[in-house]
PDB file of all heavy atoms in Angstrom:
ATOM      1  N   ILE E  10     -30.269 -35.330  49.894  1.00 93.00           N
ATOM      2  CA  ILE E  10     -29.267 -35.887  49.194  1.00 93.00           C
ATOM      3  C   ILE E  10     -27.810 -35.696  49.835  1.00 93.00           C
ATOM      4  O   ILE E  10     -26.856 -36.479  49.698  1.00 93.00           O
ATOM      5  CB  ILE E  10     -29.201 -35.404  47.701  1.00 93.00           C
ATOM      6  CG1 ILE E  10     -28.171 -36.139  46.850  1.00 93.00           C
ATOM      7  CG2 ILE E  10     -29.036 -33.875  47.677  1.00 93.00           C
ATOM      8  CD1 ILE E  10     -28.375 -37.608  46.720  1.00 93.00           C
ATOM      9  N   GLN E  11     -27.657 -34.589  50.627  1.00 92.00           N
ATOM     10  CA  GLN E  11     -26.480 -34.327  51.313  1.00 92.00           C
ATOM     11  C   GLN E  11     -26.111 -35.253  52.456  1.00 92.00           C
ATOM     12  O   GLN E  11     -24.992 -35.326  52.921  1.00 92.00           O
ATOM     13  CB  GLN E  11     -26.439 -32.819  51.812  1.00 92.00           C
ATOM     14  CG  GLN E  11     -25.976 -31.837  50.894  1.00 92.00           C
ATOM     15  CD  GLN E  11     -27.100 -31.461  49.887  1.00 92.00           C
ATOM     16  OE1 GLN E  11     -28.223 -31.735  50.058  1.00 92.00           O
ATOM     17  NE2 GLN E  11     -26.635 -30.754  48.835  1.00 92.00           N
ATOM     18  N   THR E  12     -27.039 -36.035  52.885  1.00 93.00           N
ATOM     19  CA  THR E  12     -26.849 -37.056  53.951  1.00 93.00           C
ATOM     20  C   THR E  12     -26.639 -38.428  53.480  1.00 93.00           C
ATOM     21  O   THR E  12     -26.267 -39.294  54.246  1.00 93.00           O
ATOM     22  CB  THR E  12     -28.115 -37.014  54.900  1.00 93.00           C
ATOM     23  OG1 THR E  12     -29.292 -37.515  54.208  1.00 93.00           O
ATOM     24  CG2 THR E  12     -28.420 -35.681  55.491  1.00 93.00           C
ATOM     25  N   MET E  13     -26.777 -38.597  52.084  1.00 94.00           N
ATOM     26  CA  MET E  13     -26.570 -39.937  51.519  1.00 94.00           C
ATOM     27  C   MET E  13     -25.043 -40.250  51.466  1.00 94.00           C
ATOM     28  O   MET E  13     -24.224 -39.404  51.252  1.00 94.00           O
ATOM     29  CB  MET E  13     -27.199 -40.010  50.121  1.00 94.00           C
ATOM     30  CG  MET E  13     -28.723 -39.929  50.178  1.00 94.00           C
ATOM     31  SD  MET E  13     -29.530 -41.280  51.076  1.00 94.00           S
ATOM     32  CE  MET E  13     -30.151 -40.447  52.532  1.00 94.00           C
ATOM     33  N   HIS E  14     -24.830 -41.508  51.552  1.00 92.00           N
ATOM     34  CA  HIS E  14     -23.365 -41.989  51.618  1.00 92.00           C
ATOM     35  C   HIS E  14     -23.178 -43.239  50.751  1.00 92.00           C
ATOM     36  O   HIS E  14     -24.100 -44.156  50.844  1.00 92.00           O
ATOM     37  CB  HIS E  14     -22.915 -42.194  52.964  1.00 92.00           C
ATOM     38  CG  HIS E  14     -21.468 -42.656  53.091  1.00 92.00           C
ATOM     39  ND1 HIS E  14     -21.184 -44.020  53.133  1.00 92.00           N
ATOM     40  CD2 HIS E  14     -20.292 -42.095  53.186  1.00 92.00           C
ATOM     41  CE1 HIS E  14     -19.776 -44.106  53.198  1.00 92.00           C
ATOM     42  NE2 HIS E  14     -19.285 -42.960  53.158  1.00 92.00           N
ATOM     43  N   SER E  15     -22.165 -43.369  49.945  1.00 91.00           N
ATOM     44  CA  SER E  15     -21.931 -44.581  49.210  1.00 91.00           C
ATOM     45  C   SER E  15     -20.578 -45.121  49.554  1.00 91.00           C
ATOM     46  O   SER E  15     -19.644 -44.451  49.708  1.00 91.00           O
ATOM     47  CB  SER E  15     -21.882 -44.272  47.714  1.00 91.00           C
ATOM     48  OG  SER E  15     -21.437 -45.402  46.946  1.00 91.00           O
ATOM     49  N   ASP E  16     -20.579 -46.433  50.003  1.00 88.00           N
ATOM     50  CA  ASP E  16     -19.296 -47.049  50.449  1.00 88.00           C
ATOM     51  C   ASP E  16     -18.252 -47.249  49.390  1.00 88.00           C
ATOM     52  O   ASP E  16     -17.148 -47.639  49.634  1.00 88.00           O
ATOM     53  CB  ASP E  16     -19.546 -48.325  51.165  1.00 88.00           C
ATOM     54  CG  ASP E  16     -20.404 -49.281  50.285  1.00 88.00           C
ATOM     55  OD1 ASP E  16     -20.624 -49.032  49.159  1.00 88.00           O
ATOM     56  OD2 ASP E  16     -20.772 -50.363  50.942  1.00 88.00           O
ATOM     57  N   THR E  17     -18.626 -47.020  48.068  1.00 86.00           N
ATOM     58  CA  THR E  17     -17.703 -47.178  46.970  1.00 86.00           C
ATOM     59  C   THR E  17     -16.943 -45.903  46.735  1.00 86.00           C
ATOM     60  O   THR E  17     -16.113 -45.916  45.805  1.00 86.00           O
ATOM     61  CB  THR E  17     -18.402 -47.669  45.809  1.00 86.00           C
ATOM     62  OG1 THR E  17     -19.495 -46.637  45.275  1.00 86.00           O
ATOM     63  CG2 THR E  17     -19.124 -48.937  45.975  1.00 86.00           C
ATOM     64  N   ILE E  18     -17.300 -44.827  47.374  1.00 86.00           N
ATOM     65  CA  ILE E  18     -16.708 -43.583  47.161  1.00 86.00           C
ATOM     66  C   ILE E  18     -16.157 -43.101  48.379  1.00 86.00           C
ATOM     67  O   ILE E  18     -16.754 -43.170  49.508  1.00 86.00           O
ATOM     68  CB  ILE E  18     -17.705 -42.482  46.612  1.00 86.00           C
ATOM     69  CG1 ILE E  18     -18.415 -43.065  45.307  1.00 86.00           C
ATOM     70  CG2 ILE E  18     -17.070 -41.173  46.284  1.00 86.00           C
ATOM     71  CD1 ILE E  18     -19.498 -42.136  44.842  1.00 86.00           C
ATOM     72  N   GLU E  19     -14.799 -42.471  48.337  1.00 81.00           N
ATOM     73  CA  GLU E  19     -14.112 -42.056  49.503  1.00 81.00           C
ATOM     74  C   GLU E  19     -14.705 -40.676  49.853  1.00 81.00           C
ATOM     75  O   GLU E  19     -15.170 -39.964  48.943  1.00 81.00           O
ATOM     76  CB  GLU E  19     -12.658 -41.922  49.313  1.00 81.00           C
ATOM     77  CG  GLU E  19     -11.937 -43.326  49.151  1.00 81.00           C
ATOM     78  CD  GLU E  19     -10.496 -43.220  49.094  1.00 81.00           C
ATOM     79  OE1 GLU E  19      -9.976 -42.097  49.374  1.00 81.00           O
ATOM     80  OE2 GLU E  19      -9.843 -44.097  48.678  1.00 81.00           O
ATOM     81  N   GLY E  20     -14.726 -40.217  51.107  1.00 81.00           N
ATOM     82  CA  GLY E  20     -15.216 -38.907  51.458  1.00 81.00           C
ATOM     83  C   GLY E  20     -16.399 -39.006  52.418  1.00 81.00           C
ATOM     84  O   GLY E  20     -17.092 -40.052  52.389  1.00 81.00           O
ATOM     85  N   ALA E  21     -16.594 -37.953  53.084  1.00 84.00           N
ATOM     86  CA  ALA E  21     -17.649 -37.935  54.159  1.00 84.00           C
ATOM     87  C   ALA E  21     -18.947 -37.535  53.418  1.00 84.00           C
ATOM     88  O   ALA E  21     -18.868 -36.943  52.230  1.00 84.00           O
ATOM     89  CB  ALA E  21     -17.358 -36.801  55.161  1.00 84.00           C
ATOM     90  N   PRO E  22     -20.114 -37.904  53.900  1.00 88.00           N
ATOM     91  CA  PRO E  22     -21.451 -37.387  53.295  1.00 88.00           C
ATOM     92  C   PRO E  22     -21.484 -35.951  53.134  1.00 88.00           C
ATOM     93  O   PRO E  22     -21.051 -35.159  54.004  1.00 88.00           O
ATOM     94  CB  PRO E  22     -22.517 -37.934  54.330  1.00 88.00           C
ATOM     95  CG  PRO E  22     -21.836 -39.055  55.016  1.00 88.00           C
ATOM     96  CD  PRO E  22     -20.276 -38.682  55.138  1.00 88.00           C
ATOM     97  N   GLY E  23     -21.989 -35.465  52.028  1.00 85.00           N
ATOM     98  CA  GLY E  23     -22.043 -34.033  51.772  1.00 85.00           C
ATOM     99  C   GLY E  23     -20.904 -33.420  50.822  1.00 85.00           C
ATOM    100  O   GLY E  23     -21.028 -32.371  50.464  1.00 85.00           O
ATOM    101  N   THR E  24     -19.848 -34.196  50.699  1.00 84.00           N
ATOM    102  CA  THR E  24     -18.777 -33.808  49.832  1.00 84.00           C
ATOM    103  C   THR E  24     -19.240 -33.862  48.416  1.00 84.00           C
ATOM    104  O   THR E  24     -20.191 -34.429  48.051  1.00 84.00           O
ATOM    105  CB  THR E  24     -17.544 -34.636  50.055  1.00 84.00           C
ATOM    106  OG1 THR E  24     -17.836 -36.044  49.798  1.00 84.00           O
ATOM    107  CG2 THR E  24     -17.000 -34.430  51.543  1.00 84.00           C
ATOM    108  N   VAL E  25     -18.411 -33.205  47.563  1.00 84.00           N
ATOM    109  CA  VAL E  25     -18.830 -33.197  46.115  1.00 84.00           C
ATOM    110  C   VAL E  25     -18.880 -34.561  45.501  1.00 84.00           C
ATOM    111  O   VAL E  25     -19.795 -34.926  44.800  1.00 84.00           O
ATOM    112  CB  VAL E  25     -17.763 -32.311  45.380  1.00 84.00           C
ATOM    113  CG1 VAL E  25     -18.031 -32.357  43.889  1.00 84.00           C
ATOM    114  CG2 VAL E  25     -17.902 -30.868  45.791  1.00 84.00           C
ATOM    115  N   SER E  26     -17.887 -35.346  45.852  1.00 85.00           N
ATOM    116  CA  SER E  26     -17.858 -36.707  45.204  1.00 85.00           C
ATOM    117  C   SER E  26     -18.936 -37.646  45.743  1.00 85.00           C
ATOM    118  O   SER E  26     -19.641 -38.330  44.918  1.00 85.00           O
ATOM    119  CB  SER E  26     -16.506 -37.429  45.487  1.00 85.00           C
ATOM    120  OG  SER E  26     -16.329 -37.449  46.874  1.00 85.00           O
ATOM    121  N   GLN E  27     -19.334 -37.477  47.010  1.00 90.00           N
ATOM    122  CA  GLN E  27     -20.403 -38.247  47.581  1.00 90.00           C
ATOM    123  C   GLN E  27     -21.785 -37.888  47.062  1.00 90.00           C
ATOM    124  O   GLN E  27     -22.635 -38.691  46.597  1.00 90.00           O
ATOM    125  CB  GLN E  27     -20.497 -38.199  49.046  1.00 90.00           C
ATOM    126  CG  GLN E  27     -19.387 -39.043  49.772  1.00 90.00           C
ATOM    127  CD  GLN E  27     -19.661 -40.494  49.803  1.00 90.00           C
ATOM    128  OE1 GLN E  27     -20.780 -40.880  49.314  1.00 90.00           O
ATOM    129  NE2 GLN E  27     -18.722 -41.324  50.043  1.00 90.00           N
ATOM    130  N   VAL E  28     -22.052 -36.557  46.915  1.00 90.00           N
ATOM    131  CA  VAL E  28     -23.329 -36.016  46.435  1.00 90.00           C
ATOM    132  C   VAL E  28     -23.480 -36.483  45.018  1.00 90.00           C
ATOM    133  O   VAL E  28     -24.463 -36.841  44.577  1.00 90.00           O
ATOM    134  CB  VAL E  28     -23.461 -34.551  46.688  1.00 90.00           C
ATOM    135  CG1 VAL E  28     -24.639 -33.936  45.881  1.00 90.00           C
ATOM    136  CG2 VAL E  28     -23.401 -34.144  48.126  1.00 90.00           C
ATOM    137  N   ARG E  29     -22.475 -36.254  44.211  1.00 89.00           N
ATOM    138  CA  ARG E  29     -22.486 -36.585  42.784  1.00 89.00           C
ATOM    139  C   ARG E  29     -22.684 -38.038  42.533  1.00 89.00           C
ATOM    140  O   ARG E  29     -23.563 -38.449  41.678  1.00 89.00           O
ATOM    141  CB  ARG E  29     -21.302 -36.057  42.064  1.00 89.00           C
ATOM    142  CG  ARG E  29     -21.305 -36.251  40.599  1.00 89.00           C
ATOM    143  CD  ARG E  29     -20.088 -35.468  40.036  1.00 89.00           C
ATOM    144  NE  ARG E  29     -18.860 -35.935  40.647  1.00 89.00           N
ATOM    145  CZ  ARG E  29     -17.752 -35.187  40.583  1.00 89.00           C
ATOM    146  NH1 ARG E  29     -17.668 -34.057  39.947  1.00 89.00           N
ATOM    147  NH2 ARG E  29     -16.624 -35.735  41.204  1.00 89.00           N
ATOM    148  N   GLY E  30     -21.893 -38.903  43.354  1.00 91.00           N
ATOM    149  CA  GLY E  30     -22.048 -40.326  43.066  1.00 91.00           C
ATOM    150  C   GLY E  30     -23.352 -40.868  43.559  1.00 91.00           C
ATOM    151  O   GLY E  30     -24.000 -41.710  42.837  1.00 91.00           O
ATOM    152  N   CYS E  31     -23.785 -40.400  44.617  1.00 93.00           N
ATOM    153  CA  CYS E  31     -25.137 -40.987  45.244  1.00 93.00           C
ATOM    154  C   CYS E  31     -26.252 -40.598  44.337  1.00 93.00           C
ATOM    155  O   CYS E  31     -27.190 -41.326  44.049  1.00 93.00           O
ATOM    156  CB  CYS E  31     -25.310 -40.378  46.662  1.00 93.00           C
ATOM    157  SG  CYS E  31     -24.150 -41.125  47.827  1.00 93.00           S
ATOM    158  N   ALA E  32     -26.222 -39.340  43.870  1.00 93.00           N
ATOM    159  CA  ALA E  32     -27.282 -38.790  42.975  1.00 93.00           C
ATOM    160  C   ALA E  32     -27.314 -39.554  41.693  1.00 93.00           C
ATOM    161  O   ALA E  32     -28.372 -39.977  41.176  1.00 93.00           O
ATOM    162  CB  ALA E  32     -27.050 -37.300  42.716  1.00 93.00           C
ATOM    163  N   PHE E  33     -26.104 -39.980  41.239  1.00 93.00           N
ATOM    164  CA  PHE E  33     -26.072 -40.731  39.996  1.00 93.00           C
ATOM    165  C   PHE E  33     -26.795 -42.069  40.050  1.00 93.00           C
ATOM    166  O   PHE E  33     -27.449 -42.531  39.223  1.00 93.00           O
ATOM    167  CB  PHE E  33     -24.579 -40.824  39.429  1.00 93.00           C
ATOM    168  CG  PHE E  33     -24.349 -41.715  38.249  1.00 93.00           C
ATOM    169  CD1 PHE E  33     -24.627 -41.250  37.016  1.00 93.00           C
ATOM    170  CD2 PHE E  33     -23.938 -42.962  38.362  1.00 93.00           C
ATOM    171  CE1 PHE E  33     -24.506 -42.102  35.924  1.00 93.00           C
ATOM    172  CE2 PHE E  33     -23.730 -43.793  37.336  1.00 93.00           C
ATOM    173  CZ  PHE E  33     -24.124 -43.338  36.053  1.00 93.00           C
ATOM    174  N   GLU E  34     -26.318 -42.799  41.203  1.00 94.00           N
ATOM    175  CA  GLU E  34     -26.884 -44.034  41.430  1.00 94.00           C
ATOM    176  C   GLU E  34     -28.493 -44.045  41.566  1.00 94.00           C
ATOM    177  O   GLU E  34     -29.129 -44.921  41.043  1.00 94.00           O
ATOM    178  CB  GLU E  34     -26.327 -44.737  42.655  1.00 94.00           C
ATOM    179  CG  GLU E  34     -24.825 -45.026  42.454  1.00 94.00           C
ATOM    180  CD  GLU E  34     -24.632 -46.112  41.461  1.00 94.00           C
ATOM    181  OE1 GLU E  34     -25.569 -46.995  41.282  1.00 94.00           O
ATOM    182  OE2 GLU E  34     -23.531 -46.124  40.917  1.00 94.00           O
ATOM    183  N   LEU E  35     -28.894 -42.991  42.297  1.00 95.00           N
ATOM    184  CA  LEU E  35     -30.467 -42.974  42.496  1.00 95.00           C
ATOM    185  C   LEU E  35     -31.216 -42.583  41.242  1.00 95.00           C
ATOM    186  O   LEU E  35     -32.209 -43.103  40.919  1.00 95.00           O
ATOM    187  CB  LEU E  35     -30.712 -41.919  43.618  1.00 95.00           C
ATOM    188  CG  LEU E  35     -30.178 -42.341  45.123  1.00 95.00           C
ATOM    189  CD1 LEU E  35     -30.290 -41.066  46.000  1.00 95.00           C
ATOM    190  CD2 LEU E  35     -31.149 -43.436  45.575  1.00 95.00           C
ATOM    191  N   ILE E  36     -30.539 -41.700  40.424  1.00 95.00           N
ATOM    192  CA  ILE E  36     -31.229 -41.288  39.146  1.00 95.00           C
ATOM    193  C   ILE E  36     -31.132 -42.488  38.193  1.00 95.00           C
ATOM    194  O   ILE E  36     -32.213 -42.646  37.485  1.00 95.00           O
ATOM    195  CB  ILE E  36     -30.421 -40.039  38.607  1.00 95.00           C
ATOM    196  CG1 ILE E  36     -30.743 -38.750  39.526  1.00 95.00           C
ATOM    197  CG2 ILE E  36     -30.922 -39.795  37.208  1.00 95.00           C
ATOM    198  CD1 ILE E  36     -29.862 -37.565  39.075  1.00 95.00           C
ATOM    199  N   ARG E  37     -30.124 -43.170  38.180  1.00 95.00           N
ATOM    200  CA  ARG E  37     -30.052 -44.438  37.261  1.00 95.00           C
ATOM    201  C   ARG E  37     -31.205 -45.344  37.633  1.00 95.00           C
ATOM    202  O   ARG E  37     -31.910 -45.952  36.832  1.00 95.00           O
ATOM    203  CB  ARG E  37     -28.770 -45.049  37.406  1.00 95.00           C
ATOM    204  CG  ARG E  37     -28.644 -46.181  36.337  1.00 95.00           C
ATOM    205  CD  ARG E  37     -27.180 -46.767  36.269  1.00 95.00           C
ATOM    206  NE  ARG E  37     -26.682 -47.245  37.537  1.00 95.00           N
ATOM    207  CZ  ARG E  37     -25.512 -47.788  37.751  1.00 95.00           C
ATOM    208  NH1 ARG E  37     -24.612 -47.906  36.721  1.00 95.00           N
ATOM    209  NH2 ARG E  37     -25.156 -48.236  39.007  1.00 95.00           N
ATOM    210  N   TYR E  38     -31.354 -45.556  39.048  1.00 95.00           N
ATOM    211  CA  TYR E  38     -32.401 -46.488  39.404  1.00 95.00           C
ATOM    212  C   TYR E  38     -33.865 -45.975  38.942  1.00 95.00           C
ATOM    213  O   TYR E  38     -34.671 -46.724  38.452  1.00 95.00           O
ATOM    214  CB  TYR E  38     -32.388 -46.683  40.911  1.00 95.00           C
ATOM    215  CG  TYR E  38     -33.655 -47.320  41.476  1.00 95.00           C
ATOM    216  CD1 TYR E  38     -33.783 -48.747  41.492  1.00 95.00           C
ATOM    217  CD2 TYR E  38     -34.706 -46.661  42.000  1.00 95.00           C
ATOM    218  CE1 TYR E  38     -34.759 -49.358  41.969  1.00 95.00           C
ATOM    219  CE2 TYR E  38     -35.851 -47.337  42.555  1.00 95.00           C
ATOM    220  CZ  TYR E  38     -35.871 -48.695  42.510  1.00 95.00           C
ATOM    221  OH  TYR E  38     -36.938 -49.371  42.979  1.00 95.00           O
TER     222      TYR E  38
END
């Protein structure tokens, strides 16, 4: 999950916002 990246969120992969946002999208799916 630390390597995942979302283009709708600013920040590099592994940052708090990226990890939280990517996990939210995957869990919702």
